[in-house]
Amino acid sequence: MRRGWLVCWLLVAACGREAPPSSVVPRWVAPASTLDFGAVPALNERTVSLPLVNVGRASLRVVSAVVEEDGSPFRIVSVPEEVPAQAETSLVLAFVPPRESSYTATLVLRTDDPIQEDVEVSLRGEGRTAAVLELEPALLDFGRVAEGSSVVRPVKLRSRGSAPLVLESLTLEAPGGPRVGSERTLAVAHPARMSSTPESLTAPKKGHAMPSPGRGGPFDVPAPESPAVQSPGSEVASLAQASLTSASPVFQLVGSTRTPTVLDLASEVEVSVRYAVPSGVSAEDVSGTLVLRTTDPDQREARVPLRGSVNLAPVPVVSAPGESVPGGEVVLDGTASMDPDGEGPLTYAWELVSLPVGARARLLSPAASSSVLRLDPVVSGEYEVALTVADAAGARSLRPTRARVVAVPAQQLWVDVTWNHAETDLDLHVLRGVDAALGSVDDCHYANPRPDWGTPGFTEDPELLRDRLTGFGPEVFGYERPVSGTYRVAVVLSRENGAVDPRSEATVRVYDRGVLKGEFRRTLSRQGEVWTVADVQWPSGVVTEAP
């Protein structure tokens, strides 16, 4: 249709008297005197193309394009530098009505057509229907939040007007600080009249923009209150698309969002805000603002105040002796624990964190301010306990306080063995002398648990303190006052007990007066296999791996 219309103009131009057909000049066909944008929802954008037709034999240069009225809701989006000979190119304009009202303006076009230089086009448009934003709550109060924890609360956004609501930007603002978030100032194209986003011109000053290099003449491209970025019309976009950052280390937008976001009539979305209280903060109240830029003419920038305070975490304090003996009862005192806010009474939680391999221990009154740790009666080694406290408002200590207790045996020479198989039976043997035979009177083991190696009586004799017939151990040997000499340590896989795979990794530890002097590992594969582990020289306490 346009091609036929253009051909008609070419025929008319050929018959014209002002410029003979042989003249190589542009011939501009003036556009319609009025350009009507129709009805557009307030603060939404509609773009319209104005055709520029050149029926001449030379290119038509566009010298300038200006919207005369300052502050007009009409703006020029893009202007061609020139229109080729016998061709048509479009000038693109946009209309963003600020409110529900009728608007007019005048577009003045100037070209290098020698006959018709200037043309005025009347621009018309109407703002009809408007978006209305409803926010709930008007104030987001998080209350007192425990140090080291966080709380998430929603803000509901409802579209209650006669036009879809566009959320143009969503930011967090700290008192006296910059805004941070998803902030893009933009308007959204009217859902009913979509077109591709035109290429914009960079304006050197308000109201004008320069064309591309190589061409002269100012172009009027007013810097609008909201530069245009078009969005799918009636679609309600999710508020969880592109990640956001917080304006402070306290308030954060949860998840992600994308702007612009279009809310259909009577639709609703939620924006979630997290109030996070990091450790080490003071007890001062904290405030901020959630800032929403929308197409509601009466709430162009809606603000939701954010408020929260801090419940400082209580501090656990533990008093405990560093050493005890196997079978001892260790008093653990947490009464010095305190709360910086003075919110008592505190509640207590004791936990046994670690204990020696094979040991059996128990915490008495684990919820009291003071507890008792009952140690294994035989196994020596290090026990670790932890205390966590909470104040009356529910704030827990940021981290537990730990205490270590070492069970030091009365026996100066201590040997134990553990293994990693639940069914097999491993036996510990400690022999008096490197030439002593297994099973002899010089072998302390399950069949000879208290051999007479010292002066007559039991006071100076060694003892097999614990014997295990299956799984894991430990088997424990103790010698309170060893006689000078060399003692050999051995382990025997005595029974497979029907295990499909009897292979067992054994670990032997040798202690001299409570100090670990040697640790050895080996896998025993079959019943009756003997592992000669190490030799212990006494009283020097030197432990060497057996050849």
Side-chain angles (χ1 to χ4, degrees):
M1 182 69 182
R2 281 189 176 183
R3 181 179 298 274
W5 183 73
L6 180 59
V7 170
C8 291
W9 272 108
L10 289 172
L11 293 174
V12 171
C15 298
R17 294 181 180 178
E18 294 84 352
S22 59
S23 300
V24 183
V25 294
R27 177 64 63 84
W28 182 25
V29 178
S33 61
T34 301
L35 183 62
D36 193 346
F37 286 77
V40 181
L43 294 175
N44 281 236
E45 179 181 278
R46 175 176 293 170
T47 58
V48 174
S49 296
L50 179 67
L52 303 179
V53 179
N54 176 17
V55 297
R57 299 177 61 190
S59 295
L60 176 73
R61 189 167 68 91
V62 181
V63 178
S64 67
V66 179
V67 175
E68 286 193 331
E69 293 78 5
D70 291 335
S72 169
F74 302 93
R75 68 185 179 91
I76 300 172
V77 177
S78 66
V79 184
E81 295 180 13
E82 63 181 20
V83 182
Q86 301 182 6
E88 174 185 325
T89 306
S90 293
L91 179 151
V92 180
L93 299 104
F95 171 53
V96 181
R99 291 188 173 274
E100 292 183 278
S101 181
S102 297
Y103 298 90
T104 60
T106 303
L107 172 68
V108 179
L109 299 171
R110 172 169 292 181
T111 70
D112 64 350
D113 186 327
I115 297 175
Q116 184 176 236
E117 293 184 355
D118 293 349
V119 170
E120 291 187 357
V121 178
S122 175
L123 306 178
R124 296 178 182 178
E126 179 184 359
R128 185 185 300 173
T129 71
V132 174
L133 170 66
E134 182 179 292
L135 285 170
E136 181 188 354
L139 166 68
L140 199 58
D141 191 346
F142 292 84
R144 294 184 73 229
V145 176
E147 180 183 1
S149 63
S150 64
V151 172
V152 176
R153 299 198 190 285
V155 176
K156 292 183 178 180
L157 283 64
R158 299 186 181 96
S159 175
R160 289 291 185 261
S162 54
L165 175 73
V166 181
L167 176 62
E168 297 176 350
S169 68
L170 180 64
T171 57
L172 287 175
E173 187 178 274
R179 296 183 186 177
V180 179
S182 174
E183 181 170 16
R184 304 173 199 164
T185 307
L186 36 81
V188 175
H190 190 294
R193 301 288 289 273
M194 299 298 301
S195 66
S196 59
T197 303
E199 181 181 355
S200 63
L201 299 177
T202 303
K205 60 181 180 178
K206 181 178 179 182
H208 292 83
M210 297 300 295
S212 301
R215 304 294 292 183
F219 291 91
D220 179 34
V221 184
E225 186 178 2
S226 297
V229 174
Q230 297 180 335
S231 171
S234 59
E235 236 174 77
V236 177
S238 168
L239 284 178
Q241 299 295 330
S243 64
L244 292 173
T245 56
S246 68
S248 73
V250 176
F251 295 109
Q252 301 169 326
L253 291 168
V254 176
S256 54
T257 188
R258 180 184 65 185
T259 54
T261 295
V262 182
L263 278 69
D264 268 343
L265 300 179
S267 65
E268 175 182 302
V269 294
E270 285 188 355
V271 174
S272 295
V273 182
R274 176 187 291 116
Y275 175 47
V277 182
S279 58
V281 298
S282 65
E284 298 177 357
D285 291 345
V286 180
S287 62
T289 307
L290 175 65
V291 183
L292 306 97
R293 188 166 179 81
T294 74
T295 55
D296 181 342
D298 296 322
Q299 296 189 83
R300 198 72 176 93
E301 186 175 88
R303 305 173 69 86
V304 179
L306 309 174
R307 186 168 63 196
S309 56
V310 178
N311 180 10
L312 295 178
V315 180
V317 179
V318 178
S319 175
E323 290 187 357
S324 186
V325 296
E329 292 193 345
V330 180
V331 177
L332 307 170
D333 186 2
T335 55
S337 302
M338 53 82 66
D339 182 64
D341 301 320
E343 293 189 84
L346 299 179
T347 56
Y348 300 80
W350 295 91
E351 179 186 4
L352 181 57
V353 177
S354 65
L355 66 167
V357 177
R360 299 172 179 173
R362 182 184 175 194
L363 273 171
L364 308 179
S365 304
S369 59
S370 294
S371 182
V372 173
L373 174 61
R374 183 173 292 166
L375 306 180
D376 188 279
V378 174
V379 179
S380 63
E382 184 179 85
Y383 296 78
E384 185 176 31
V385 295
L387 173 62
T388 301
V389 295
D391 65 17
R396 291 170 56 87
S397 48
L398 298 176
R399 60 192 61 85
T401 295
R402 298 171 182 260
R404 292 177 176 83
V405 178
V406 178
V408 180
Q411 294 83 355
Q412 296 182 15
L413 177 59
W414 183 280
V415 182
D416 63 45
V417 61
T418 57
W419 59 98
N420 66 350
H421 202 296
E423 299 176 15
T424 58
D425 177 17
L426 273 63
D427 287 335
L428 175 63
H429 296 255
V430 179
L431 301 100
R432 182 172 57 173
V434 296
D435 297 325
L438 291 173
S440 68
V441 294
D442 292 321
D443 178 9
C444 180
H445 66 296
Y446 72 92
N448 186 24
R450 299 204 64 169
D452 187 2
W453 288 357
T455 18
F458 292 106
T459 306
E460 297 183 356
D461 291 333
E463 182 181 3
L464 187 70
L465 298 169
R466 178 170 290 174
D467 177 31
R468 284 294 181 87
L469 299 179
T470 58
F472 308 124
E475 290 205 354
V476 180
F477 165 90
Y479 200 171
E480 189 167 339
R481 289 187 291 275
V483 177
S484 299
T486 300
Y487 298 90
R488 172 156 286 182
V489 180
V491 174
V492 179
L493 200 168
S494 60
R495 293 183 182 84
E496 296 179 359
N497 292 324
V500 176
D501 183 0
R503 286 179 298 177
S504 307
E505 183 185 62
T507 301
V508 174
R509 297 178 180 88
V510 180
Y511 298 85
D512 172 11
R513 288 166 273 259
V515 178
L516 180 64
K517 287 297 188 72
E519 183 172 312
F520 309 92
R521 286 184 176 84
R522 178 174 292 184
T523 298
L524 305 180
S525 302
R526 63 186 182 279
Q527 185 168 308
E529 183 177 352
V530 178
W531 172 28
T532 302
V533 182
D535 293 331
V536 183
Q537 299 177 27
W538 201 265
S540 67
V542 175
V543 179
T544 56
E545 191 169 2

